[in-house]
Every structure is written in C-alpha cells, then in structure tokens.
Amino acid sequence: MKILVTGAKGFVGKNLCVALANLKEGKDRTRPNLKIEDFFEYDIDSTTEQLEEYCKEADFVFNLAGVNRPQNQEEFMQGNFGFASTLLDMLKKHKNNCPVMLSSSIQATLIGRYADGEYGKSKKAGEELFFEYARETGARVMVYRFPNLFGKWCRPNYNSAVATFSNNIANDLPITVNDRSVELELLYIDDLVNEMLNLLENKGHQCDYDGLLPIESENGRYYFVPTTHKVTLGEIVDLLYKFKEQSQTLTIPEIPNDSFAKKLYSTYLSYLPKEKVAFDLKMNVDDRGSFTELLKTEKCGQVSINISKPGITKGQHWHHSKWEFFIVVSGKGLIQQRKIGTEEVLNFEVSGDKIQAVHMLPGYTHNIINLSNTENLVTVMWANEQFDPNHPDTFFEIVE
C-alpha cells in the first residue's frame, strides 16, 4: 500500500508519518496484515509536480493539510477549502478513486448553531467538497471532526492550551488561566494515530453527526476517535504542576492505564529542557554505604536504592504491617529473617548474577549482609507505603 499524507510536517502529520515509517521498516509488528510499501509526505514546501506524482500512485490519502492561525481571515478558506479542491482535482485527473480521509474540526459542527467563525466555515466547506467528490467518483471518503489535540511535538503558543501549559510549566514560564472551570474535550495524538491506522485496515469508527452517535451503516460519512477526555483547565494545570514537583517530592500522581493523567505526563515530559531531563537525588550516606529514595507513588508505595559496603550488615528491624521487596542487582549478599518471638532464621543468599525478589515479611525482623570483602552490594527496595516519619512502623531488633 502506498499512502499520501498532506500536511506531513504538522503535528498530526509528523506523528502519523513516523508511525507509518515504523510499520514500513518492520519496527512496529503490531499490525502484521498492514503492509506499507511507501508513503509520500506533502507539505507547504513541496512542489505541484510532487503532488501530481503522489496523487497518481497513492492507494490511500490522509488530507491533514490546513490553516488554523492565518494572518488574514481569507486564508482560512484558501487553506482549508482551496487546497482540498486542488487535491481532489488531481486525484480525478488521474482517475484515482482511492479512499480519502479529511481532517476537519468540531468547529464545523457549530456553524449555523452557535457560531459562524471563518475557520469553522472553511472546515464545513471542505467537508461538503469531499462529500460531493464521493458522490461524483464513488470514492470512499472519511471525515473526522477532531476536538482539541495534545501530545508530543505539538507546537506551544499556537492553538493548543495543553501544549502551551506543558511547555511553559516545564520551562518555568508563566501561564494564564482566566477560568479554571472551562472544560475541554481532548484527543491524545497516539489515540488519533491509532485510529488513522485502523482506517488502513477498514476498522475506522463511523458516527452520525446529526445525533452524535456511533453508527454501523456503510453510508456513514463521518468518523470519530472513540477515546477522548473531558477535563477542565484547572485540572490540567494542577496535574502539570504535580509533574513538575516530582523531581523534588519524588511522588508520581496516580496515573491509571489509558487515563488522561498518563497521557498528559508523557506530553509534559516531551517539553522538558535538557537541564531538567536529569536531576539529583538525595543520597543518605554514612560509613556503611548509602540509602536513596528514588520514586514515590500516591497509592503504591515507594522505591529506594540501598548500597552496602563490603562486609556491612543493614536492617535489623521489623514492621507490623509494612512489607517490602529486596532485589539485589549487583554483588552477593545474605538476607535473613526471623519471626518475632521465635528463634528460627530464614536465610536467602542473593546475587546480581541471579536477580530475585525477596519478601520482607510483616512481623519478621530482617537484615541484609554484604558477603563480599571487596564489592558493594546494590539493592533495589520497594515498600508498599511511603515512609512516614511520624508513624514509621519500624522497630529495632537483631535477627540473630
């Protein structure tokens, strides 16, 4: 399959093209039935001759080209309607009735209802042009009315509040929020690209914009991405500031799978400047070695790194309810545990050569001994709760 992507250097186009490249080069093996022979990237600096050649060869067209921040209002119609007309004329010229996808906007939905902006008018006109093309040629046309988009590589200070907030907060720049209660419907770029790839496998999601409901009819003209998130500006900003504070607090907010928070965190990280990509951790150092807290979570405890010098024993304490994993990743050691009130000692020899996770059992005093005379013992330690100095649940008692 040969694919034409117009607007290839834009936010959506760039993300789509790298996904197509991964499929073409065999780096992405999640869609074994999707064979990408080639894809053509067309943008404002491409030539008419290139577009002509691409329209002749394409088996599928993603029309992502458009204008949303012109200097003059007239440019909306020229960029969003005019180019679409040029594209479809070239496809007709070469009698290429391949499927065509159009990137429209929810602003087109508002025309004649709540607003009559030039941007929405131009998008609506582009839609009608595509539908007329489908009636004339019999080509399959798929129109998506995208809500607000966000994700990596989105241009800040342009037309995305999430991109602007993420960029500015990551770079210690000011932001302005006039009304924290304003709600946005947001579509994450990876979810959008996944839907675009679904189209190539005839698995796109159709909908009826009269009733805004999904439909299964083959005659459906509109399509939609099924996963979006409705979030207020206040919620977005609060999450971003939590992400920013992570290098000081070490605490990651709750980020469930496929949640908005998870996608926003990935977006925020993509705007970090080089000087913030790496950050120092507080090492608690003494003559025995060091103990460093690495990561804390709101509901799933914390992870720490413990380094024991040769011959050193650490631990010698127990917990009522707290439990831990000890995972030796370098060196050789001995973990000992003894149930409080008994004499039997459980011994576990551990090594970075054979990585194991050892439970530290509640009600058992425990230690970890570096068995080497020359090498440090490095242990990753996970506790099921963050350390609370006011209620440490930690009591000294030697194992043996």
Side-chain angles (χ1 to χ4, degrees), residues 263-293:
K263 298 167 186 178
L264 184 64
Y265 196 18
S266 294
T267 301
Y268 168 78
L269 291 175
S270 71
Y271 292 95
L272 280 180
K274 179 183 177 181
E275 58 270 19
K276 288 190 177 183
V277 173
F279 59 93
D280 294 333
L281 298 171
K282 181 185 177 184
M283 296 179 66
N284 300 289
V285 180
D286 58 25
D287 57 2
R288 303 174 302 158
S290 65
F291 179 81
T292 305
E293 292 181 326

Side-chain angles (χ1 to χ4, degrees), residues 103-111 113-114 119-120 123 127 144-148 184-186 209 212:
S103 167
S104 188
S105 167
I106 56 173
Q107 293 298 315
T109 312
L110 303 178
I111 297 303
R113 298 185 184 183
Y114 310 108
Y119 176 67
K123 285 296 188 181
E127 292 178 3
Y144 283 81
R145 287 177 170 175
F146 293 141
N148 298 281
L184 301 179
E185 182 180 6
L186 295 167
Y209 266 96
L212 299 178

Side-chain angles (χ1 to χ4, degrees), residues 276-318:
K276 288 190 177 183
V277 173
F279 59 93
D280 294 333
L281 298 171
K282 181 185 177 184
M283 296 179 66
N284 300 289
V285 180
D286 58 25
D287 57 2
R288 303 174 302 158
S290 65
F291 179 81
T292 305
E293 292 181 326
L294 175 62
L295 178 68
K296 300 177 182 180
T297 67
E298 292 182 344
K299 296 184 178 180
C300 299
Q302 69 177 58
V303 179
S304 305
I305 305 296
N306 184 78
I307 299 176
S308 301
K309 291 183 177 180
I312 290 296
T313 298
K314 286 189 175 184
Q316 308 288 39
H317 61 238
W318 63 281

Side-chain angles (χ1 to χ4, degrees), residues 18-34:
V18 296
L20 293 173
N22 285 338
L23 287 165
K24 177 187 175 185
E25 296 165 14
K27 298 175 182 178
D28 181 352
R29 301 178 183 177
T30 61
R31 295 175 183 264
N33 296 322
L34 186 54

Side-chain angles (χ1 to χ4, degrees), residues 181-337:
S181 67
V182 171
E183 185 179 73
L184 301 179
E185 182 180 6
L186 295 167
L187 171 57
Y188 184 53
I189 188 61
D190 288 5
D191 293 327
L192 190 162
V193 169
N194 186 62
E195 174 70 9
M196 298 299 95
L197 299 181
N198 284 341
L199 282 182
L200 298 178
E201 296 186 304
N202 294 317
K203 297 177 182 178
H205 293 81
Q206 294 185 14
C207 66
D208 175 8
Y209 266 96
D210 290 333
L212 299 178
L213 297 173
I215 61 172
E216 297 181 358
S217 168
E218 288 297 323
N219 297 322
R221 302 190 302 175
Y222 291 100
Y223 286 68
F224 75 111
V225 182
T227 303
T228 61
H229 304 272
K230 292 185 177 180
V231 194
T232 66
L233 292 177
E235 290 170 333
I236 295 169
V237 170
D238 290 346
L239 272 173
L240 288 171
Y241 276 117
K242 279 189 177 182
F243 299 155
K244 180 179 181 178
E245 294 163 0
Q246 191 265 330
S247 60
Q248 283 77 47
T249 66
L250 302 183
T251 300
I252 296 289
E254 187 177 5
I255 46 176
N257 189 40
D258 205 36
S259 66
F260 172 73
K262 181 179 180 181
K263 298 167 186 178
L264 184 64
Y265 196 18
S266 294
T267 301
Y268 168 78
L269 291 175
S270 71
Y271 292 95
L272 280 180
K274 179 183 177 181
E275 58 270 19
K276 288 190 177 183
V277 173
F279 59 93
D280 294 333
L281 298 171
K282 181 185 177 184
M283 296 179 66
N284 300 289
V285 180
D286 58 25
D287 57 2
R288 303 174 302 158
S290 65
F291 179 81
T292 305
E293 292 181 326
L294 175 62
L295 178 68
K296 300 177 182 180
T297 67
E298 292 182 344
K299 296 184 178 180
C300 299
Q302 69 177 58
V303 179
S304 305
I305 305 296
N306 184 78
I307 299 176
S308 301
K309 291 183 177 180
I312 290 296
T313 298
K314 286 189 175 184
Q316 308 288 39
H317 61 238
W318 63 281
H319 315 290
H320 278 297
S321 298
K322 183 187 299 182
W323 58 278
E324 303 163 294
F325 281 131
F326 284 6
I327 306 163
V328 168
V329 295
S330 180
K332 294 183 178 181
L334 175 67
I335 294 174
Q336 297 182 307
Q337 302 189 64

